[in-house]
Amino acid sequence: MSLRMRLSLRNTLAFRLTLWYAVIFSLSSGIAFLLFYSLVTFIIRDRTDQELIGQARRFATILSTKGAEEVAKDVVIEAQAAGVRKVFFRLLYPNGQTFSSSNMSYWKDIPVNLDAIKQLLQGTSYVIETIVIHDRKQKVRIIYTMLGPGIAIQVGESMEGYSRFLDIFKGILIFTMAFLLLLAAGVGWFMAKRAVSGVGVITHTARKISAGIFEERVPVEDTGDEIDLLARTFNEMLDRIHLLVKEVKEMSDNIAHDLKGPITRIRGAAEVTLTTSHSMGEYENMAASIIEECDRLLGMINTMLMISKTEAGVDTPSLENVDISNLLENTCELFLPGAEDKGISLRCNTPDTIHLNGDVRMIQRMLSNLLDNAIKYTHSGGKVDVSLSDNGSGKILISVSDTGIGISPEELPHIFERFYRGDQSRSTSGIGLGLSLSRAIARAHGGDITVSSAVDKGSTFTVTLPRREAVIGNRS
Ligand code: ADP
């Protein structure tokens, strides 16, 4: 394995998870083993101490019933029975001198602890100590106690058997721990790899997408876990980006298309005038039509900018208290002559006064767009009704209904898109930005626009706006 591969392996999440898992596992199992080992050691020592105390008590009873000589005989027999290399007994005077003992040839290096005898004389019942015989690497547990007045006893027991048991026990524990640690690292690695495998799939997909395969999606497994959720969210995000890219592409196509017409017309007018006309009047006419076309272009560009800024929250409504009833009346009056000219009856039904917080210029632009469309897409003899109402729960509703050409169900979902124009509308003037701007304005005020329509029967556009507090911001 190369150094780079090893370094990159060390950086992987799976490796770090495994490491954490192994460290935590070994720490906790190490502590558990240590506690267990200490407990076993404590129990063994305690049992030895109890044995030694039991022996001493028996000799104390013999001393009180049969005398010191009997005890002196007994210690020899007792040591031989248990094994002279396992236990020893020393009967001592209060000054520490031995007056009798079991066979001490094996234990000749064990001294008498005078301090212990002193403590016994001061009233301590037992003094217990552990002595290590270094040449033999052997531990001896020793107890001192008074057997009777003027006689103390030193009882010792070799811990060799127990030490051997503890060494074996320790070896088994270390071996088991090492085995479990390896097992834990293996299981941890397997689990970590499994857990992060989903991330690998997502990374793989992201790489493919960045290489240009935009249709690629992460496979979703319906497990309902975090990775599954991440995969779903990732796919949703990709769908959304895909849609946005499509929209941006369509919009740039539309812009190019919509700019091409006026520019071609401007160029055509200039070319024709230059090649054919000579009078000042004709030049003036050309200039006038170029100005007209330029105004249309500027209007379109300004509207596009306004939509973008309003949607992005850059152009925020400058809020003021607006008498919406009055504003609606005035807007209807502006459109009345145009409606009359086309033979359309325009009625405006507004209650006395309804106020809201909003931007007058923006709201007026929105109402104008809706009224303009209603009149534009209604044949002579038709009707346009505008009404204003308060729904009683803090929202006001403005509806613009017409008996015009209507919108087909296929076209309905698209009419708020930028530059979208219905099939039947292509013969009428317009650039397909009016509804996009109107909806951006309504949303910037914390409201929205909905539409219901039937082909050849008419359409109703309903604007909902909050009555007092306007929420300023963009909603996509
Ligand atoms: P424009 O009117 O310039 O085409 P709009 O954004 O205002 O652009 O409207 C988008 C499309 O929605 C229109 O082209 C038309 O097909 C449809 N539309 C809008 N208002 C009406 C209406 N009142 N009646 C029928 N169709 C409508």
Side-chain angles (χ1 to χ4, degrees):
M1 201 186 287
S2 73
L3 182 67
R4 243 189 86 197
M5 265 180 80
R6 250 183 290 145
L7 283 180
S8 60
L9 181 73
R10 267 172 51 186
N11 289 338
T12 60
L13 190 59
F15 180 79
R16 274 182 279 160
L17 279 175
T18 310
L19 199 68
W20 271 108
Y21 185 67
V23 167
I24 291 170
F25 179 84
S26 33
L27 270 181
S28 48
S29 54
I31 291 171
F33 282 172
L34 215 68
L35 285 176
F36 190 42
Y37 182 76
S38 311
L39 187 73
V40 170
T41 316
F42 172 79
I43 290 172
I44 287 176
R45 213 167 36 206
D46 190 57
R47 257 187 54 190
T48 314
D49 291 350
Q50 292 309 321
E51 264 174 38
L52 295 176
I53 291 170
Q55 289 274 19
R57 277 203 192 122
R58 272 194 314 109
F59 289 130
T61 318
I62 295 170
L63 180 72
S64 62
T65 53
K66 297 180 181 167
E69 284 196 3
E70 192 59 33
V71 178
K73 269 194 256 159
D74 249 35
V75 293
V76 177
I77 297 166
E78 195 70 42
Q80 269 170 353
V84 286
R85 290 181 172 218
K86 191 163 188 310
V87 290
F88 67 86
F89 306 95
R90 258 190 192 135
L91 297 171
L92 304 164
Y93 292 119
N95 62 1
Q97 271 199 335
T98 307
F99 80 84
S100 182
S101 71
S102 58
N103 183 352
M104 293 298 284
S105 53
Y106 186 72
W107 303 107
K108 56 183 181 299
D109 296 335
I110 302 279
V112 173
N113 184 345
L114 295 178
D115 266 355
I117 308 251
K118 211 191 275 173
Q119 284 178 46
L120 294 179
L121 293 175
Q122 283 164 2
T124 310
S125 310
Y126 305 101
V127 177
I128 301 175
E129 64 180 11
T130 304
I131 286 184
V132 182
I133 304 169
H134 291 286
D135 322 345
R136 302 205 294 255
K137 288 184 187 140
Q138 185 183 21
K139 279 185 185 168
V140 189
R141 192 74 174 158
I142 296 173
I143 176 179
Y144 293 88
T145 186
M146 294 302 289
L147 286 187
I151 297 185
I153 189 167
Q154 181 196 36
V155 186
E157 182 175 342
S158 165
M159 301 288 282
E160 208 180 356
Y162 296 130
S163 296
R164 219 175 297 130
F165 167 74
L166 282 177
D167 283 348
I168 294 170
F169 183 65
K170 198 158 62 180
I172 291 173
L173 284 190
I174 290 171
F175 175 78
T176 316
M177 220 181 107
F179 172 73
L180 284 181
L181 185 67
L182 281 179
L183 191 74
V187 171
W189 175 254
F190 174 73
M191 276 165 36
K193 275 299 244 189
R194 251 183 81 103
V196 298
S197 66
V199 179
V201 177
I202 294 174
T203 312
H204 185 67
T205 310
R207 280 216 189 101
K208 276 190 172 172
I209 291 166
S210 66
I213 311 171
F214 298 111
E215 293 72 29
E216 194 70 26
R217 292 293 177 270
V218 182
V220 177
E221 282 177 5
D222 277 332
T223 50
D225 60 13
E226 289 86 345
I227 298 290
D228 197 42
L229 198 69
L230 177 67
R232 277 173 200 282
T233 315
F234 189 75
N235 284 348
E236 278 165 23
M237 186 189 74
L238 289 177
D239 288 345
R240 180 109 181 87
I241 292 174
H242 196 71
L243 193 76
L244 282 176
V245 170
K246 203 172 135 229
E247 277 177 14
V248 168
K249 193 181 166 302
E250 275 173 15
M251 205 173 75
S252 48
D253 286 354
N254 286 331
I255 292 172
H257 180 263
D258 279 272
L259 287 179
K260 206 173 145 198
I263 290 172
T264 313
R265 281 198 293 277
I266 290 170
R267 194 186 178 286
E271 196 176 15
V272 169
T273 313
L274 273 181
T275 49
T276 60
S277 314
H278 302 289
S279 75
M280 195 59 189
E282 280 164 326
Y283 281 117
E284 280 172 2
N285 280 344
M286 175 197 73
S289 66
I290 286 177
I291 289 172
E292 206 180 299
E293 286 293 351
C294 284
D295 282 349
R296 261 173 53 77
L297 272 178
L298 278 176
M300 189 178 97
I301 291 166
N302 283 338
T303 312
M304 269 162 48
L305 280 176
M306 203 183 288
I307 296 171
S308 300
K309 284 181 179 174
T310 312
E311 280 185 353
V314 178
D315 261 4
T316 50
S318 39
L319 298 182
E320 55 187 293
N321 192 350
V322 180
D323 181 346
I324 187 74
S325 324
N326 194 23
L327 185 66
L328 205 52
E329 287 282 351
N330 291 343
T331 315
C332 283
E333 267 170 37
L334 278 177
F335 281 87
L336 206 54
E340 277 173 2
D341 282 354
K342 214 179 157 186
I344 293 169
S345 118
L346 170 61
R347 282 181 306 182
C348 198
N349 174 24
T350 55
D352 282 347
T353 41
I354 291 184
H355 288 263
L356 62 84
N357 269 354
D359 184 313
V360 184
R361 277 186 325 109
M362 279 185 164
I363 295 178
Q364 188 165 31
R365 181 101 195 239
M366 175 180 71
L367 296 175
S368 300
N369 282 342
L370 295 178
L371 270 165
D372 184 47
N373 278 351
I375 293 167
K376 197 161 68 174
Y377 298 118
T378 302
H379 298 300
S380 174
K383 283 192 290 182
V384 173
D385 283 317
V386 181
S387 70
L388 173 68
S389 63
D390 184 340
N391 77 350
S393 58
K395 303 251 180 215
I396 66 151
L397 306 174
I398 303 164
S399 88
V400 179
S401 306
D402 61 58
T403 57
I405 59 172
I407 306 160
S408 70
E410 299 79 48
E411 290 182 330
L412 213 53
H414 302 289
I415 58 168
F416 290 101
E417 288 169 11
R418 283 178 230 195
F419 292 107
Y420 182 82
R421 305 208 68 206
D423 277 347
Q424 293 212 56
S425 342
R426 301 213 189 274
S427 50
T428 47
S429 63
I431 50 173
L433 289 176
L435 284 181
S436 312
L437 179 61
S438 303
R439 190 172 70 169
I441 292 173
R443 288 184 170 180
H445 280 78
D448 211 347
I449 302 184
T450 52
V451 58
S452 63
S453 186
V455 176
D456 291 333
K457 291 215 168 88
S459 317
T460 300
F461 286 83
T462 308
V463 183
T464 317
L465 292 173
R467 190 182 163 100
R468 276 272 165 208
E469 306 286 335
V471 179
I472 299 159
N474 175 43
R475 284 177 15 192
S476 56

